[in-house]
Amino acid sequence: QVQLVESGGGLVQAGGSLRLSCAASGRTFSTNPMGWFRQAPGQEREFVAGIDWNGSITYYSDSVKGRFTISRDNAKNTIYLQMNSLKSEDTAVYYCAASRQSFSILGTENNYWGQGTQVTVSS
C-alpha cells in the first residue's frame, strides 16, 4: 500500500520559515517526479513546486519562486519543501504528490497524494 505522509506544518509569523517533509512508503519513487500542491479555504488546489526524478530539474509557481525550495533524497524516499519569507497568503493545506509514471512531468492527474499538512502564517 502506497502512502505519502507529510509533516512539518504549523503556525508561523509572517516572514518566518518552515520546512515540510513528505515520506513515501509502499514503493520507491526514485524514478518519478514529485512535488507539492496547496489548497486554501474556498479555493481550488494549486501547484506549488515540482522536482524531477533525480532532483536535477525543479520548477515553481510564480507566487513562491525565490522563497520556496524543493529537494529530494531518493535514499530516504522523501521530498522536502523549504519555505522562507512566508506570507499570510501562503496559508493553506499543503499536499505532497508523486506521479504514478516514471520519468514524466508532474501534473495534477495520475498522482498519489498525501493527506496534507496545515500551514498557517499569521500577519
Side-chain angles (χ1 to χ4, degrees), residues 11-15 87-89 91 120-123:
L11 174 65
V12 63
Q13 288 188 333
K87 306 175 181 180
S88 57
E89 51 262 45
T91 295
T120 303
V121 183
S122 63
S123 56

Side-chain angles (χ1 to χ4, degrees), residues 33-86:
M34 298 181 71
W36 295 91
F37 292 73
R38 68 186 181 187
Q39 187 169 21
Q43 298 186 21
E44 293 188 353
R45 186 156 54 185
E46 64 173 359
F47 169 79
V48 175
I51 189 166
D52 74 335
W53 67 278
N54 68 352
S56 62
I57 299 174
T58 58
Y59 36 102
Y60 302 89
S61 68
D62 288 342
S63 61
V64 308
K65 199 173 298 182
R67 300 187 297 120
F68 291 9
T69 302
I70 188 171
S71 61
R72 68 188 297 162
D73 184 341
N74 283 344
K76 296 181 179 180
N77 222 16
T78 298
I79 65 167
Y80 307 94
L81 186 68
Q82 178 65 44
M83 305 186 295
N84 298 329
S85 302
L86 283 160

Side-chain angles (χ1 to χ4, degrees), residues 86-100:
L86 283 160
K87 306 175 181 180
S88 57
E89 51 262 45
D90 294 318
T91 295
V93 177
Y94 283 70
Y95 297 91
C96 174
S99 176
R100 294 174 183 265

